[in-house]
Amino acid sequence: KHYCGNRVKTSKYTVLSFLPKNIFEQLHRFANLYFLALVALNFVPVVNAFQPEVSTIPIGTILAVTAIKDAWEDFRRFKSDKVINNQECFIYSRKEQSYVQKRWKDVCVGDFIQMRCNEIIPADILLLFSSDPSGICHLETANLDGETNLKQRRVVKGFSQRVTQEALLEPEHFHNTIVCEKPNNNLNKFKGYMEHPDKTRTGFGSESLLLRGCTIRNTEMAVGIVIYAGHCPCVIIKNRADSYKKRKGQRQIGTDFLISLKILVILTLFSGHSLWNRTFEEHPPFDVPDANGNFLPLTLGGFYMFLTMIILLQVLIPISLYVSIELVKLGQVFFLHNDLDLYDEETDVPIQCRALNVTEDLGQIQYIFSDKTGTLTENKMVFRRCTIMGSEFSHQENAKRLETPKELDSDSEEWTHYQCLSFPSRWAQGPTTVRGQGGAQPLRRSQSAQVPIQGHSRQRSMGRCENSQPPVAFSSPIEKDVTPDKSLLTKVRDAALWLETLSDTRPAKPSLSTASSIADFFLALTICNSVMVSTTTEPRQRVRIGDGRDGQVKPVIMAHNNITHTSLCFCDGCTCLGNVTISSSTKALGMSLEKIQQLFQRLKLLSLSQSFSSTAPSDTDLGESLGTNVPTTDSDERDDSSVCKGPALGLTSPELCYEAESPDEAALVHAAHAYSFTLVSRTPEQVTVRLPQGICLTFDLLCTLGFDSVRKRMSVVVRHPLTGEIIVYTKGADSVIMDLLEDPARVTDSNVEKKLRKIQARTQKHLDLYARDGLRTLCIAKKVVSEEYFQRWASFRHEAEAALDNRDELLMETAQHLENQLTLLGATGIEDRLQDGVPDTIAALQEAGIQIWVLTGDKQETAINIAYSCRLLDQTDTVYTINTENQETCDSILNCVLEEVKQFHGPRKPDRKLFGFCLPSEMPSTASVDVVPKVGLVIDGKTLNVIFQGKLEKKFLELTQYCRSVLCCRSTPLQKSMIVKLVRDKLRVMTLSIGDGANDVSMIQAADIGIGISGQEGMQAVMSSDFAISRFRHLKKLLLVHGHWCYSRLARMVVYFFYKNVCYVNLLFWYQFFCGFSGSTMIDYWQTIFFNLFFTSVPPLVFGVLDKDISAETLLALPELYKRGQNSECYNLSTFWISMVDAFYQSLVCFFIPYLTYRDSDIDVFTFGTPINTIALATILLHQAIEMKTWTIIHVLVLVTSFLMYFVISLVYNATCVTCNSPTNPYWVMEGQLSDLTFYLVCFLTPVVALLPR
């Protein structure tokens, strides 16, 4: 089969195709097609109104400017394509029998590609080999989704066991068949299977796919086979599939264009040329017969004159409007981007305007749909409290710490008590110093997350650190530094000692003891995640643990400050001091073994005296207290490679860094670390956890069921290294986990049944308490399965992974089959704080008449608490909560609530129509609204399903129109987008969606304007948005100030464009009454062209970019002013017709005052037309000056320059144009008028009379 090559071509044109293709695209715009048709019509001799060549100048200029812009943009795309296509990679050559260097554009489907660390992936590649012993390849996907944390991809499962390393490196020996789905735009889903020569199949998914554009990290070498190339890779298809949103302003402009066209047709129908000719008894002398002496029939002559009048009055439709709008929006975006109030100094991120055609819609928003986590809140998850086996641990000291959080800069003078020396028992150092080669050195708190660098300083103005590694996500001090609860700390000590008593003999039944449950709880927090482990010195160097199987030593911590510290476990050539194993090479550090031993003894005494003291415990206290209780002989008695009782880290090991895909995972791992259950290493097959007493347990990772928005949970299946049991650890939303727990009624032991019921009831009570406090809740559970059961389930899972049809459904079914009959361990409460300024922003937006909906996947009680905190709901509001899964119940509840609400507010009046346009329905008067309570609505995801499936959308929307705010809880990403589309399409309102994560992308794309927040969850929301901001509070100024300005400027500029063109073209129309509707003009056609291209083109642009009708301070102080944009007060049907009437009036004055002045005189036609042209220009420019609300030196210069340019060009043109328009020529006309006093008098008085109504 022939597959496309890997050459990427995003440019649209070639040298030969540019002109025809670009002109063809531009003719899709109605205005361009209309003017081009008139130009062609003007080449017909019997109907032409101007010289045919001259009539091409306006449309030619517009098409040329647009073509130059398109050519420049396409040339930039061409250069970018050239750079990408010519990048180099290593492709296997059958001829050379080795990997040879070739360009990306030479890559084909089926090629074997060899990639090395820090190289960019040239196509979508299926991973077949990795230099990592675990078959792992690390990726950085920042080019795709902006996320800087590393992702793991693994060699096709089972493939490495079938094919030896030598055979794989020789692609000639590869005889497998790969079957996969067709390319699509979903970056997170991929399915296929590999058929081996023996006809067996191995399934694979997105975990084995290396996407084009990603970067290889932490992997020396990887080899794969190209699956998709060229324009087939998922990334390119996704970028190509972005939808185009048509703007409200564009629709209105299109409508006004049609109205202007109708006006033009009506004016031309007034052409009475035929009727005027009928008044002559004989043919008038100007009626010239054809070559045969025949005269045109009056009807046919009238039709020809109708076409001539259309050509003559074509200027009524503003040809340059579209280009002017694009230029104005470009200027508006420039000032928007440079607003310092929308710049976040902390992250060094200004506002990003990713779409240039949406600025005016910012001033017309009626509904805002917002995510909660990371949008209204910081998305800095802080472990706040937990409940284990029904016992609640409030962590009061942690709560006090969080009351006044301070994120310290590296130049802060505050020292913190942080662990730098890590020994097997994790001894405590002194209160503020640690010992190193150079003696005592104080440690700053900020150094716990970065490498100490000589001369390091932070540039506050830029908000970035120089000479430092990129920051690890979700690792700020407020997220990492968890203060343990004293009572729980004591119980964790007992749980750690209980783990020591475990043996290889499996317990007959699951234990419900407190110690075992606490141990399982913290093991679940540590293991049940996808967190990667690195170090502060090498943030992207994965930590590995020495297994001690063959006496070899594997370093755990890499080089730190140019000195390598290696931790050793049970190996030769080591000197053991108690529980501490130290390499003999440590003498090279300039420190004798005797001094080290003395240091250990001092630290031991210090740790014993301080363990479990009344002072605030650190994250190492537990290790300090348990380290001395570990018998040294256990390591000899138990020859198990998965249990390491030696040192886990080096002498001066830097802090471990956790790279998590979500802040929740990072918070739970940091919480477990605070209790000395430390995640040390993770590979696809194993997870290593260091216990408080220094023991390292290595769990075999049998399977991972990742989190998804449907299951709302995550599970890992591991083999316990001490008991050999197969355990399923699960964490997830309480609404899901509580339904999957084992039914206590099935337990035969009544005491156990009572205990289970008590634990579940108390845990649910604690969950409700956490939710009322605004905490995010997660339940932790476990399940022990037999070997036979797991093997049977694993075979089903393997079949599901290998399936090509219905793969997702089969995987979901197998996951649900395992995740049931769970035993509840406990729950956690994680605090996510409100961002600064959120309550004020929401209050201001509500005052501006914007309805705010919060769509979140959080628990209902949590969301309600946050809603009150951010002033989305008020204590005086009447809040209706609807939770049901029954359609009839939902219908009746909606009816009852609607009835009750209508009693307070009265029924809404139906929408009124005027000339086919909908006018907003009227709500009760302000006096009555002040008396009735404001209404809020809370609804959950299950009820939303009932509403969508039961056709109850109309009632739901009717109810929401009475609500000040709506809160949708437990909603999925699909439901979010469905809600936005429902409100946008059914209510026909302007919508805005704002979010920060990948789950908000569909909602952002569904709204009229999408805003992404560049926060903690990568950049997928930003990359799908129209605007990107760093804080929710920026939305206040963005909408109330910039939105109002952009809408007001552009709306009034568009109205002005229609006004000036109608005003000017009517001058030509009035003249037709005095020239027999012959299509003659009293203004030279060059002057007509210059009038629109030069004399009146720049002032509207300056007006549209710089004008401020109301100051920013006033707009922020009075949010009600935003309603002008919502009601389209600046640009609607009435303002359009008022400007049309004004234009007709001004044209009458500008024509007839000069006409009456020069009546009965013997001046020629251009001498009569020159003062009319001058008066029209002065009137139109003065009209613009009246419309301007802000005056700057730029406004004055532009207006004065435009007026003076008219005289300069006219004088030069009239002085040089002797026979430009034979037989009537404008030679020396302007010079003669400037010497006539009447000309000055008329030019002064007429604009005054024309502008008198204003």
Side-chain angles (χ1 to χ4, degrees):
K1 183 177 178 179
H2 175 72
Y3 295 96
C4 60
N6 200 43
R7 180 190 294 271
V8 172
K9 183 177 182 294
T10 60
S11 57
K12 297 189 295 184
Y13 311 111
T14 63
V15 176
L16 295 178
S17 68
F18 173 73
L19 278 179
K21 194 171 182 179
N22 185 261
I23 292 176
F24 177 76
E25 289 178 350
Q26 291 197 55
L27 292 184
H28 279 74
R29 182 170 286 171
F30 169 75
N32 291 342
L33 188 62
Y34 162 77
F35 282 106
L36 192 64
L38 292 184
V39 168
L41 190 63
N42 197 46
F43 275 87
V44 179
V46 295
V47 297
N48 68 338
F50 306 116
Q51 290 183 6
E53 298 80 6
V54 176
S55 63
T56 62
I57 294 178
I59 183 63
T61 303
I62 298 301
L63 294 178
V65 170
T66 307
I68 291 172
K69 176 181 72 70
D70 293 342
W72 172 247
E73 292 177 352
D74 201 63
F75 181 67
R76 293 175 62 187
R77 287 192 291 265
F78 169 76
K79 291 198 300 183
S80 176
D81 292 344
K82 188 175 181 180
V83 171
I84 292 174
N85 290 327
N86 288 306
Q87 291 188 84
E88 295 181 338
C89 62
F90 286 92
I91 306 175
Y92 184 80
S93 172
R94 299 181 185 275
K95 182 178 179 180
E96 302 289 339
Q97 295 291 306
S98 64
Y99 289 94
V100 297
Q101 196 170 29
K102 292 186 179 180
R103 296 177 179 178
W104 279 22
K105 62 184 180 182
D106 300 324
V107 173
C108 297
V109 173
D111 282 345
F112 283 83
I113 307 295
Q114 185 184 84
M115 299 155 289
R116 296 192 176 274
C117 188
N118 298 326
E119 289 185 355
I120 300 177
I121 300 170
D124 285 0
I125 294 174
L126 187 67
L127 183 63
L128 300 180
F129 170 77
S130 172
S131 58
D132 189 293
S134 305
I136 286 299
C137 176
H138 299 275
L139 293 182
E140 183 182 273
T141 60
N143 290 338
L144 305 187
D145 53 23
E147 296 183 7
T148 56
N149 53 303
L150 297 186
K151 310 292 193 307
Q152 288 186 354
R153 297 294 181 265
R154 60 183 302 166
V155 173
V156 175
K157 192 174 182 180
F159 182 73
S160 57
Q161 286 80 12
R162 290 177 170 270
V163 184
T164 64
Q165 177 175 329
E166 291 76 17
L168 181 59
L169 294 178
E170 297 179 7
E172 295 288 348
H173 298 169
F174 184 85
H175 302 293
N176 298 352
T177 302
I178 296 175
V179 180
C180 61
E181 61 183 353
K182 292 183 178 180
N184 54 63
N185 64 346
N186 195 328
L187 301 181
N188 300 317
K189 289 187 179 180
F190 171 71
K191 57 185 177 182
Y193 64 85
M194 181 183 294
E195 186 173 304
H196 304 284
D198 57 1
K199 300 303 180 182
T200 59
R201 293 180 176 180
T202 300
F204 52 76
S206 58
E207 72 280 353
S208 300
L209 184 66
L210 309 181
L211 291 175
R212 177 190 179 114
C214 296
T215 305
I216 302 289
R217 302 289 190 198
N218 285 10
T219 306
E220 184 178 349
M221 184 181 69
V223 177
I225 186 170
V226 177
I227 299 294
Y228 305 130
H231 288 272
C232 294
C234 305
V235 179
I236 297 178
I237 295 178
K238 179 177 177 64
N239 293 337
R240 197 169 60 211
D242 291 341
S243 60
Y244 173 76
K245 304 176 183 178
K246 190 170 182 179
R247 305 300 167 186
K248 182 178 180 181
Q250 292 177 348
R251 295 192 293 266
Q252 184 63 42
I253 291 174
T255 301
D256 291 345
F257 260 112
L258 294 178
I259 294 175
S260 299
L261 185 59
K262 292 177 182 178
I263 294 174
L264 175 62
V265 173
I266 292 172
L267 292 179
T268 54
L269 287 177
F270 270 98
S271 173
H273 181 70
S274 299
L275 298 177
W276 186 62
N277 277 348
R278 291 179 188 273
T279 61
F280 295 94
E281 296 180 359
E282 298 179 357
H283 289 285
F286 54 80
D287 194 1
V288 181
D290 59 14
N292 298 323
N294 298 322
F295 292 91
L296 285 175
L298 293 179
T299 304
L300 184 59
F303 176 71
Y304 286 160
M305 191 53 60
F306 171 80
L307 297 178
T308 301
M309 291 296 295
I310 286 182
I311 298 173
L312 178 67
L313 304 179
Q314 62 176 310
V315 187
L316 188 142
I317 297 178
I319 185 173
S320 60
L321 179 59
Y322 282 115
V323 176
S324 300
I325 288 175
E326 291 182 5
L327 293 176
V328 165
K329 289 182 177 180
L330 195 63
Q332 291 177 348
V333 166
F334 173 79
F335 286 104
L336 193 64
H337 182 78
N338 287 277
D339 188 345
L340 290 179
D341 291 336
L342 302 180
Y343 165 77
D344 186 59
E345 184 177 0
E346 180 182 348
T347 58
D348 188 29
V349 176
I351 183 174
Q352 300 177 40
C353 304
R354 301 177 54 83
L356 301 181
N357 62 332
V358 298
T359 53
E360 77 278 12
D361 287 350
L362 289 172
Q364 300 176 276
I365 300 300
Q366 295 163 286
Y367 279 76
I368 290 179
F369 300 90
S370 174
D371 179 38
K372 182 186 77 68
T373 304
T375 304
L376 301 179
T377 61
E378 292 281 0
N379 203 16
K380 290 184 178 180
M381 305 301 177
V382 184
F383 182 84
R384 179 63 182 79
R385 55 205 303 180
C386 66
T387 174
I388 305 176
M389 297 299 288
S391 300
E392 208 269 332
F393 302 96
S394 59
H395 291 72
Q396 291 297 328
E397 294 182 357
N398 198 38
K400 294 176 182 178
R401 178 184 69 88
L402 295 177
E403 288 177 359
T404 55
K406 291 184 179 180
E407 305 257 356
L408 303 180
D409 293 331
S410 59
D411 55 356
S412 170
E413 294 301 324
E414 178 181 349
W415 308 114
T416 58
H417 310 264
Y418 208 93
Q419 184 82 5
C420 185
L421 279 174
S422 292
F423 298 132
S425 300
R426 304 192 67 194
W427 318 109
Q429 72 277 16
T432 57
T433 61
V434 293
R435 290 285 173 183
Q437 182 181 1
Q441 179 183 356
L443 285 181
R444 300 182 181 183
R445 175 175 180 174
S446 60
Q447 288 176 329
S448 63
Q450 61 188 28
V451 188
I453 298 177
Q454 186 71 24
H456 171 75
S457 62
R458 176 169 177 148
Q459 302 294 331
R460 289 183 175 271
S461 61
M462 296 301 293
R464 296 286 178 92
C465 294
E466 296 180 354
N467 303 324
S468 63
Q469 296 282 356
V472 178
F474 321 126
S475 60
S476 63
I478 191 175
E479 296 170 288
K480 291 166 45 182
D481 300 344
V482 178
T483 305
D485 186 278
K486 295 178 182 178
S487 58
L488 180 58
L489 201 59
T490 304
K491 295 184 178 182
V492 171
R493 176 189 60 184
D494 298 334
L497 293 175
W498 174 83
L499 282 173
E500 283 291 296
T501 64
L502 291 179
S503 65
D504 294 334
T505 305
R506 302 180 186 179
K509 58 181 180 180
S511 173
L512 292 177
S513 66
T514 302
S516 64
S517 299
I518 289 177
D520 279 324
F521 179 83
F522 282 102
L523 285 175
L525 295 188
T526 310
I527 294 173
C528 189
N529 51 64
S530 58
V531 175
M532 288 180 57
V533 187
S534 58
T535 68
T536 53
T537 54
E538 298 286 343
R540 293 306 168 87
Q541 175 62 47
R542 186 162 52 85
V543 175
R544 296 187 59 82
I545 289 294
D547 56 14
R549 296 179 182 180
D550 53 3
Q552 295 179 353
V553 180
K554 297 181 180 179
V556 179
I557 303 299
M558 303 304 293
H560 177 59
N561 288 347
N562 299 323
I563 301 176
T564 302
H565 307 287
T566 306
S567 62
L568 311 175
C569 301
F570 308 119
C571 55
D572 299 331
C574 297
T575 305
C576 296
L577 298 176
N579 295 332
V580 184
T581 307
I582 305 174
S583 171
S584 57
S585 62
T586 310
K587 297 178 181 180
L589 299 178
M591 186 182 297
S592 65
L593 292 178
E594 291 78 7
K595 292 183 179 179
I596 296 177
Q597 189 171 14
Q598 293 173 5
L599 175 62
F600 284 175
Q601 291 174 351
R602 289 199 300 271
L603 293 175
K604 282 183 181 179
L605 295 175
L606 179 61
S607 65
L608 289 174
S609 63
Q610 291 184 348
S611 61
F612 303 105
S613 63
S614 58
T615 60
S618 68
D619 66 340
T620 59
D621 286 344
L622 197 53
E624 297 157 8
S625 63
L626 295 177
T628 57
N629 297 326
V630 180
T632 57
T633 58
D634 284 357
S635 59
D636 299 326
E637 295 173 358
R638 184 176 300 155
D639 186 18
D640 189 346
S641 61
S642 62
V643 181
C644 173
K645 280 196 178 181
L649 296 174
L651 278 170
T652 58
S653 63
E655 179 195 3
L656 294 174
C657 292
Y658 297 126
E659 300 196 51
E661 295 186 10
S662 71
D664 300 78
E665 286 191 339
L668 295 181
V669 173
H670 288 309
H673 176 68
Y675 287 95
S676 295
F677 278 78
T678 304
L679 177 63
V680 176
S681 174
R682 176 183 298 278
T683 69
E685 289 80 22
Q686 292 181 332
V687 178
T688 301
V689 180
R690 185 176 63 233
L691 301 182
Q693 59 268 44
I695 293 177
C696 290
L697 297 182
T698 300
F699 293 79
D700 291 333
L701 191 56
L702 304 180
C703 185
T704 300
L705 303 178
F707 177 87
D708 62 68
S709 58
V710 179
R711 290 169 41 249
K712 297 183 179 179
R713 58 187 179 272
M714 174 187 181
S715 298
V716 294
V717 185
V718 297
R719 187 183 300 278
H720 201 290
L722 298 177
T723 64
E725 292 178 314
I726 297 178
I727 304 176
V728 181
Y729 287 116
T730 303
K731 70 175 180 183
D734 58 297
S735 60
V736 176
I737 299 297
M738 298 300 281
D739 295 335
L740 298 176
L741 298 179
E742 181 182 8
D743 186 2
R746 296 185 179 182
V747 180
T748 55
D749 192 335
S750 60
N751 293 328
V752 175
E753 178 186 355
K754 290 180 181 179
K755 188 170 184 179
L756 286 175
R757 292 186 185 278
K758 182 179 179 181
I759 290 172
Q760 293 181 16
R762 297 185 66 175
T763 302
Q764 185 61 57
K765 181 180 178 182
H766 295 149
L767 287 169
D768 295 338
L769 174 65
Y770 295 170
R772 285 194 296 272
D773 288 343
L775 304 181
R776 293 167 59 90
T777 56
L778 282 175
C779 282
I780 313 297
K782 67 171 284 190
K783 176 183 180 180
V784 179
V785 297
S786 64
E787 187 76 32
E788 297 75 18
Y789 176 88
F790 175 75
Q791 293 300 333
R792 192 166 58 252
W793 178 87
S795 66
F796 294 149
R797 183 75 178 181
H798 179 74
E799 292 177 6
E801 290 174 341
L804 197 58
D805 298 326
N806 302 320
R807 183 174 186 266
D808 295 336
E809 291 78 5
L810 292 173
L811 291 175
M812 179 71 68
E813 185 177 347
T814 57
Q816 293 174 346
H817 191 69
L818 182 68
E819 297 168 328
N820 55 34
Q821 302 298 312
L822 302 175
T823 300
L824 183 64
L825 296 175
T828 61
I830 298 175
E831 182 175 355
D832 187 13
R833 300 176 160 229
L834 278 179
Q835 294 182 18
D836 293 338
V838 168
D840 293 338
T841 301
I842 289 181
L845 294 176
Q846 287 180 331
E847 286 183 44
I850 301 175
Q851 275 204 5
I852 301 178
W853 292 33
V854 172
L855 315 179
T856 177
D858 273 358
K859 187 177 174 65
Q860 185 167 286
E861 290 79 2
T862 304
I864 292 176
N865 183 280
I866 294 295
Y868 279 110
S869 301
C870 67
R871 295 167 67 179
L872 184 70
L873 297 175
D874 191 78
Q875 297 295 339
T876 60
D877 291 351
T878 301
V879 180
Y880 295 95
T881 303
I882 305 178
N883 297 325
T884 181
E885 298 182 48
N886 185 274
Q887 181 178 338
E888 295 180 358
T889 305
C890 184
D891 190 11
S892 62
I893 291 175
L894 289 174
N895 289 330
C896 292
V897 174
L898 268 173
E899 267 186 48
E900 186 174 343
V901 171
K902 287 178 180 179
Q903 290 178 358
F904 292 117
H905 293 275
R908 293 175 60 91
K909 295 184 179 180
D911 291 341
R912 297 174 291 121
K913 290 189 176 182
L914 179 64
F915 299 112
F917 290 87
C918 292
L919 300 178
S921 58
E922 295 181 357
M923 289 294 290
S925 63
T926 306
S928 62
V929 173
D930 291 338
V931 180
V932 296
K934 295 178 180 178
V935 177
L937 178 65
V938 179
I939 194 169
D940 67 350
K942 295 179 180 178
T943 310
L944 287 174
N945 281 335
V946 174
I947 289 174
F948 286 120
Q949 296 171 5
K951 308 298 182 183
L952 301 176
E953 297 97 332
K954 185 176 180 181
K955 291 182 181 179
F956 172 66
L957 287 180
E958 185 180 359
L959 174 60
T960 60
Q961 288 181 279
Y962 290 96
C963 299
R964 186 177 74 147
S965 54
V966 179
L967 186 60
C968 299
C969 312
R970 297 295 192 193
S971 54
T972 63
L974 178 61
Q975 287 177 331
K976 292 181 179 182
S977 64
M978 291 175 66
I979 291 172
V980 175
K981 291 176 182 177
L982 176 68
V983 174
R984 183 196 65 192
D985 297 337
K986 298 298 182 182
L987 300 183
R988 296 183 179 180
V989 292
M990 292 293 294
T991 58
L992 180 149
S993 292
I994 179 170
D996 74 315
N999 60 334
D1000 303 317
V1001 169
S1002 57
M1003 174 179 74
I1004 288 173
Q1005 292 178 335
D1008 293 291
I1009 288 187
I1011 295 184
I1013 290 187
S1014 51
Q1016 301 280 315
E1017 293 191 20
M1019 300 291 286
Q1020 290 193 46
V1022 169
M1023 297 168 73
S1024 303
S1025 65
D1026 300 311
F1027 294 90
I1029 57 179
S1030 55
R1031 297 289 175 182
F1032 184 84
R1033 67 173 183 267
H1034 294 163
L1035 195 62
K1036 180 178 179 181
K1037 187 172 185 182
L1038 179 62
L1039 294 186
L1040 300 187
V1041 178
H1042 288 286
H1044 174 89
W1045 282 346
C1046 291
Y1047 165 74
S1048 175
R1049 293 164 175 167
L1050 203 62
R1052 290 187 292 143
M1053 188 202 78
V1054 171
V1055 172
Y1056 176 79
F1057 253 96
F1058 282 107
Y1059 146 79
K1060 78 178 181 66
N1061 280 42
V1062 170
C1063 180
Y1064 190 73
V1065 83
N1066 276 345
L1067 299 175
L1068 306 179
F1069 176 71
W1070 302 133
Y1071 181 69
Q1072 299 308 305
F1073 287 95
F1074 302 93
C1075 68
F1077 289 93
S1078 60
S1080 302
T1081 62
M1082 72 291 192
I1083 302 173
D1084 183 77
Y1085 52 75
W1086 281 104
Q1087 291 278 20
T1088 304
I1089 293 173
F1090 292 156
F1091 189 89
N1092 277 315
L1093 287 183
F1094 300 113
F1095 306 149
T1096 60
S1097 59
V1098 179
L1101 299 182
V1102 176
F1103 173 71
V1105 174
L1106 299 179
D1107 193 63
K1108 299 178 182 179
D1109 58 339
I1110 305 173
S1111 67
E1113 294 77 12
T1114 305
L1115 289 171
L1116 292 174
L1118 299 174
E1120 298 86 354
L1121 295 172
Y1122 185 79
K1123 295 179 181 178
R1124 294 182 60 188
Q1126 292 175 330
N1127 300 329
S1128 300
E1129 294 180 10
C1130 294
Y1131 185 30
N1132 53 38
L1133 201 61
S1134 61
T1135 56
F1136 176 79
W1137 281 112
I1138 289 174
S1139 66
M1140 293 298 100
V1141 172
D1142 199 8
F1144 271 89
Y1145 164 76
Q1146 292 184 15
S1147 65
L1148 281 170
V1149 173
C1150 292
F1151 179 83
F1152 281 100
I1153 288 183
Y1155 169 76
L1156 295 174
T1157 302
Y1158 292 103
R1159 187 179 183 181
D1160 299 330
S1161 65
D1162 58 351
I1163 60 173
D1164 63 84
V1165 63
F1166 285 156
T1167 304
F1168 170 64
T1170 298
I1172 294 178
N1173 199 33
T1174 307
I1175 291 168
L1177 177 63
T1179 302
I1180 289 173
L1181 291 179
L1182 288 174
H1183 182 102
Q1184 175 83 87
I1186 293 174
E1187 287 292 320
M1188 290 179 178
K1189 308 300 181 184
T1190 304
W1191 280 90
T1192 65
I1193 188 64
I1194 299 178
H1195 292 78
V1196 176
L1197 286 176
V1198 167
L1199 289 174
V1200 172
T1201 303
S1202 297
F1203 194 65
L1204 294 178
M1205 185 188 300
Y1206 164 73
F1207 284 99
V1208 173
I1209 293 179
S1210 297
L1211 288 171
V1212 174
Y1213 173 67
N1214 291 168
T1216 57
C1217 189
V1218 180
T1219 58
C1220 294
N1221 195 13
S1222 183
T1224 305
N1225 291 291
Y1227 180 71
W1228 216 251
V1229 171
M1230 179 60 76
E1231 287 79 356
Q1233 287 285 12
L1234 291 178
S1235 61
D1236 184 9
L1237 184 61
T1238 305
F1239 174 78
Y1240 293 100
L1241 188 61
V1242 171
C1243 291
F1244 176 76
L1245 292 178
T1246 306
V1248 174
V1249 177
L1251 297 172
L1252 200 58
R1254 288 190 167 267

